[in-house]
């Protein structure tokens, strides 16, 4: 088998997004730790990449050089990636419940040495775009048309290294590199606007010479359209500023809890049931 | 002071020059090798490669963090990236990137730190890498190589490029004496005994190897027979050679152009402490930053001389 993309129809894609959210909640509650809300904001983007016709992969040959790459630079949101990988056939769904447990390759942050299909070992914020740039440059040297997608958090954009990579990618005009900023408005200690406001991201990234788009990142159609546009750009790297809500899908619950960030906290068994009911 | 004078060593070339020549030579037969530079290629000597193979060379600007992680990505896509900067900037500025983008995932990145040690001279302490070996040696799975002269640097460069896994190669700025005039049989992790001796062992790397040979001459004149070992690989360390030296001679002096903590001396002492306790002496920069000055004057002032090695060795035996 060779690498190929999977493209679900609109209804199936909506169902898949719900499945990913259910996995995220179940596995973090089972692990009794992790970052469910950071994972939930990213669902529509990850869903579109894995099931909306973008990532050309072969789960049976995870290192096939012809594959596209998705690097989750905000590694703490890895439950969304594990959920998508499992749905894509990298491993069985039951494995998801081994998240963060001794012996499981589904570590708290992505570990490429232990789990085939993980493209970068992240967890120290700020490095993923540089790693993605390395993959993009290698594809150029080899004459492969692999596309590299990197997702960062909006708080993560405070790391200077991200901007080093933005500048270098502009120099090398890596049109095969797409940065998606999951602008969910929060970071560990509060609202990103209060901690370190680097918005508007599109203006700032664009000023380096990148193609930019700003979208509603929890709107599946908008995400699909933006990814399509990004693939059509041929002369420079592309960025999608994905305005999302942290914990999207269970917001009424977070409101009730009085914490719209809910950073790095799993739901209790009781809240898990409420969350799953909300998802329908 | 002419290093290597007593033992009759001829003045040779700088290890960074030898690396640059070897890299450009080997690049032709190793198509997967790429160079990533952070605006110092003419200092680190990756420049000849980059001139010869521009399509395999990237200068990403003065951004060491990005430098190292980009190399991690290139390696994960099958390339053999060589990333060179000054030892201090590479190791100290990009340490977390080396940890997360290279060492932890075990990627095939070739880290090269030039301008190591205090012998860079006039540019002063901000440019001197004297913590680099310690930092590199703490990283699991990273081979740490400190060659002594031009010939062994060329051999080390070839060995590093054919080694599958992360490596750190430490290079110096000044010309150093030629030790391996008939070529060098270089293997990562296997030390080279340059002189046999039965009373004391001198273990050194980098430019301290030539000084250890001089010291062995001095000691011989005093009736002391000194073994000299070029411990070019600090991690993984050649335990066997150390244990043998500890058992067959009465003491070991370790000489390196590095801070006292965490370098070759620490690595050798860990082996002797565990397997074959023996009297030890240490010749290194100590626990201090150096200063600007001419390289010979600096080496003298900070105690990196054949005389310091001789004194340490004689002292061990008289205890
Ligand atoms: C280099 C580094 N510093 C600090 C942390 C600790 N940390 C983990 S998540 C986080 C907040 C991230 O915020 P953001 O990028 O906005 O991601 P979100 O969780 O909102 O999706 C922090 C500070 C880290 N993982 N890496
Ligand atoms: Mg955020």
């Amino acid at each position: 088998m060779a690498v190929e993309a999977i493209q679900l129809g609109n209804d199936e894609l909506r169902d898949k997004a719900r499945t990913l959210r259910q996995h995220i909640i179940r596995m973090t509650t089972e692990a009794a730790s992790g970052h469910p809300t950071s994972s939930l904001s990213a669902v529509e983007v990850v869903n579109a990449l894995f099931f909306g016709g973008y990532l050309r992969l072969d789960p049976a040959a995870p290192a096939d050089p012809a594959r596209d790459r998705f690097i989750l630079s905000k590694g703490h949101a890895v439950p969304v990636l594990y959920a998508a990988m499992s749905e894509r056939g990298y491993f069985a769904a039951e494995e998801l419940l081994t998240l963060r447990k001794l012996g499981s390759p589904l570590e708290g942050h992505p570990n490429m040495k232990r789990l085939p299909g993980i493209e970068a070992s992240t967890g120290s914020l700020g490095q993923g775009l540089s790693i993605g740039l390395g993959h993009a440059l290698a594809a150029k040297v080899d004459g492969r048309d692999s596309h590299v997608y990197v997702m960062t958090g909006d708080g993560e954009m405070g790391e200077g290294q991200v901007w080093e990579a933005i500048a270098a990618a502009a120099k090398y005009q890596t049109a095969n590199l797409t940065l998606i900023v999951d602008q969910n408005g929060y970071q560990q200690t509060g609202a990103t606007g209060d901690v370190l406001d680097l918005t508007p991201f599109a203006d700032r990234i664009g000023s380096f010479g990148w193609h930019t788009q700003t979208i509603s990142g929890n709107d599946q159609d908008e995400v699909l359209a933006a990814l399509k546009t990004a693939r059509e750009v041929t002369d420079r790297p592309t960025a999608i500023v994905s305005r999302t809500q942290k914990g999207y899908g269970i917001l009424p619950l977070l409101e009730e809890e009085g914490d719209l960030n809910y950073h790095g906290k799993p739901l209790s068994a009781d809240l898990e049931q409420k969350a799953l009911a909300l998802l329908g | 002071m002419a290093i290597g004078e007593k033992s009759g060593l001829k003045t040779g070339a700088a290890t960074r020059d030898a690396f640059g020549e070897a890299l450009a030579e080997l690049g032709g037969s190793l198509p997967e090798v790429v160079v990533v530079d952070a605006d110092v290629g003419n200092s680190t000597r990756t420049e000849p490669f980059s001139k010869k193979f521009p399509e395999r060379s990237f200068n990403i600007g003065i951004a060491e963090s990005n430098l190292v992680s980009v190399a991690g990505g290139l390696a994960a896509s099958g390339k053999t990236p060589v990333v060179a900067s000054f030892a201090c900037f590479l190791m100290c500025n990009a340490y977390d990137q080396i940890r997360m983008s290279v060492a932890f995932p075990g990627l095939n990145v070739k880290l090269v730190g030039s301008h190591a040690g205090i012998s860079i001279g006039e540019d002063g302490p901000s440019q001197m890498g004297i913590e680099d070996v310690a930092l590199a040696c703490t990283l699991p799975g990273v081979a740490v190589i400190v060659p002594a002269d031009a010939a062994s640097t060329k051999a080390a460069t070839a060995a590093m490029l054919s080694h599958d896994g992360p490596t750190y190669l430490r290079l110096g700025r000044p010309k150093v004496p030629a030790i391996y005039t008939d070529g060098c049989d270089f293997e990562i992790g296997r030390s080279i005994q340059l002189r046999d001796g039965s009373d004391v062992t001198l273990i050194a790397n980098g430019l301290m190897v030539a000084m250890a040979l001089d010291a062995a001459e001095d000691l011989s004149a005093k009736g002391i027979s000194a073994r000299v070992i070029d411990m070019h690989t600090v991690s993984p360390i050649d335990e066997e050679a150390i244990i043998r030296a500890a058992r067959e001679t009465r003491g070991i002096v370790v000489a390196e152009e590095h801070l006292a903590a965490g370098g070759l001396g620490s690595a050798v002492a860990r082996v002797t402490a565990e397997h074959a306790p023996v009297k030890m002496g240490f010749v290194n920069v100590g626990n201090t930053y150096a200063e600007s000055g001419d390289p010979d004057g600096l080496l003298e002032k900070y105690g990196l001389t054949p005389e310091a090695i001789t004194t340490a060795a004689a002292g061990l035996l008289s205890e």
Side-chain angles (χ1 to χ4, degrees):
Chain A
M1 219 175 79
V3 294
E4 58 181 19
I6 287 182
Q7 185 158 12
L8 302 179
N10 281 350
D11 291 352
E12 288 170 301
L13 214 46
R14 201 185 49 238
D15 289 348
K16 191 62 91 181
R18 187 193 306 121
T19 304
L20 298 183
R21 287 200 160 87
Q22 290 166 340
H23 283 323
I24 289 165
I25 286 161
R26 287 202 177 105
M27 70 175 112
T28 49
T29 296
E30 171 67 25
S33 69
H35 300 74
T37 56
S38 305
S39 307
L40 289 169
S41 62
V43 163
E44 277 69 27
V45 167
V46 172
N47 196 32
L49 287 169
F50 276 82
F51 303 105
Y54 286 92
L55 292 178
R56 291 162 296 182
L57 304 167
D58 179 2
D64 189 324
R67 73 194 187 279
D68 294 325
R69 276 88 166 148
F70 173 60
I71 291 167
L72 185 63
S73 190
K74 46 171 252 182
H76 59 285
V78 73
V80 68
L81 177 55
Y82 293 151
M85 286 173 72
S86 139
E87 288 294 316
R88 188 73 189 255
Y90 282 86
F91 48 83
E94 300 84 73
E95 290 271 317
L96 292 171
L97 296 180
T98 67
L99 175 73
R100 292 174 165 250
K101 293 192 173 152
L102 201 60
S104 171
L106 277 63
E107 296 199 13
H109 293 80
N111 181 344
M112 65 182 290
K113 254 182 129 171
R114 292 190 67 192
L115 190 63
I118 293 289
E119 298 289 1
S121 297
T122 54
S124 180
L125 294 166
Q127 303 188 23
L129 187 61
S130 303
I131 295 171
L133 175 57
H135 280 283
L137 292 173
K140 281 185 98 169
V141 171
D142 292 345
R144 280 183 282 109
D145 82 334
S146 299
H147 200 96
V148 183
Y149 298 91
V150 178
M151 176 181 276
T152 58
D154 48 354
E156 181 180 5
M157 297 301 283
E159 288 285 357
Q161 184 181 356
V162 181
W163 300 93
E164 295 178 0
I166 288 171
K171 171 182 174 181
Y172 289 102
Q173 301 187 325
T174 46
N176 56 344
L177 179 66
T178 298
L179 164 66
I180 300 149
V181 183
D182 186 22
Q183 192 188 333
N184 59 23
Y186 286 96
Q187 55 196 93
Q188 184 162 323
T189 55
T192 302
D194 295 332
V195 178
L196 181 65
D197 190 359
L198 291 168
T199 56
F201 288 117
D203 290 359
R204 294 192 173 185
I205 299 168
S207 74
F208 284 83
W210 284 50
H211 176 277
T212 62
Q213 307 173 70
T214 301
I215 61 162
S216 289
N218 292 128
D219 180 320
Q220 194 68 78
D221 293 335
E222 282 200 33
V223 173
L224 288 167
L227 289 172
K228 183 164 185 292
T229 302
R231 293 275 351 214
E232 286 162 3
V233 174
T234 55
D235 60 346
R236 56 215 149 117
T238 52
I240 299 171
V241 179
S242 177
R243 299 178 56 120
T244 60
Q245 284 183 285
K246 200 158 172 171
Y248 188 81
I250 61 163
L251 290 170
L253 208 60
L254 301 184
E255 263 160 39
E256 241 173 73
E257 293 296 305
D259 183 359
L260 283 174
N261 187 6
Y262 217 80
H263 183 85
K265 289 188 286 189
L267 301 179
S268 65
D270 178 39
L271 288 180
E272 176 193 34
Q273 288 318 308
K274 289 188 184 164
L276 293 173
L278 266 179
L279 293 177
Chain B
M1 172 185 46
I3 302 168
E5 198 172 46
K6 294 166 196 140
S7 49
L9 298 175
K10 296 237 166 7
T11 305
T15 53
R16 62 173 173 152
D17 286 320
F19 155 76
E21 276 172 37
L23 182 66
E25 265 165 45
L26 294 164
S29 56
L30 298 170
E32 68 281 7
V33 171
V34 297
V35 160
V36 199
D37 175 31
D39 199 34
V40 285
N42 49 356
S43 297
T44 61
R45 305 299 198 236
T46 52
E47 192 173 58
F49 177 99
S50 298
K51 288 213 160 123
K52 206 166 155 189
F53 307 106
E55 71 292 348
R56 286 196 264 146
S57 298
F58 305 98
N59 184 352
I60 54 92
I62 309 164
E64 290 75 18
S65 308
N66 189 42
L67 174 81
V68 169
S69 296
V70 164
L74 282 159
S77 264
K79 298 291 157 205
T80 304
V82 175
V83 289
S85 181
F86 286 30
C88 55
F89 307 139
L90 181 66
M91 272 296 151
C92 302
N93 199 323
Y95 195 63
D96 187 42
Q97 286 71 22
I98 292 174
R99 177 182 76 102
M100 283 300 300
S101 296
V102 178
F104 172 47
L107 291 166
N108 194 29
V109 173
K110 309 307 170 188
L111 305 162
V112 179
S114 70
H115 295 65
I118 64 173
S119 58
I120 66 159
E122 291 78 359
D123 271 344
S126 70
Q127 320 293 301
M128 293 171 178
I130 52 176
E131 311 87 346
D132 58 319
V133 174
L135 291 170
C137 282
T138 59
L139 298 163
V142 176
V144 180
I145 306 165
V146 186
D149 76 345
S152 58
T153 298
K154 285 192 169 183
T157 302
M160 156 186 108
L161 293 175
S162 60
H163 175 83
D164 186 20
T167 58
Y168 174 59
L169 178 68
R170 183 189 214 222
L171 304 173
R173 180 174 181 276
K175 286 194 169 113
V176 289
I179 290 163
Y180 298 95
T181 42
D182 301 329
C184 176
D185 182 15
F186 188 96
E187 194 186 309
I188 293 174
R190 201 194 65 201
S191 65
I192 299 170
Q193 184 172 307
L194 294 170
R195 180 176 170 135
D196 199 6
S198 51
D199 294 324
V200 68
T201 301
L202 313 178
I203 295 180
N205 62 19
L207 61 67
M208 298 310 290
V209 174
M211 296 203 201
L213 287 169
D214 273 0
E217 288 288 315
D218 289 344
L219 288 163
S220 164
K222 292 183 169 42
I224 298 171
S225 158
R227 179 178 299 186
V228 178
I229 294 175
D230 174 3
M231 192 62 73
H232 52 69
T233 307
V234 189
S235 181
I237 194 102
D238 185 348
E239 298 201 355
E240 222 183 286
I242 296 168
I243 294 168
R244 222 180 308 121
R247 296 202 171 127
E248 293 172 5
T249 65
R250 288 187 283 139
I252 295 177
V253 174
V254 186
E256 63 188 315
E257 195 189 5
H258 188 270
L259 291 172
L264 180 63
S266 302
V268 173
R270 205 177 56 235
V271 176
T272 59
E274 188 176 352
H275 300 285
V278 69
K279 283 187 200 166
M280 289 190 69
F282 301 92
V283 173
N284 51 48
V285 181
N287 188 24
T288 181
Y289 289 104
E291 64 198 274
S292 282
D294 67 288
D296 286 338
L298 279 169
L299 291 169
E300 188 85 44
K301 176 162 182 181
Y302 288 86
L304 301 183
T305 59
E307 292 68 34
I309 301 174
T310 304
T311 306
L316 281 187
L317 297 180
S318 67
E319 266 172 32

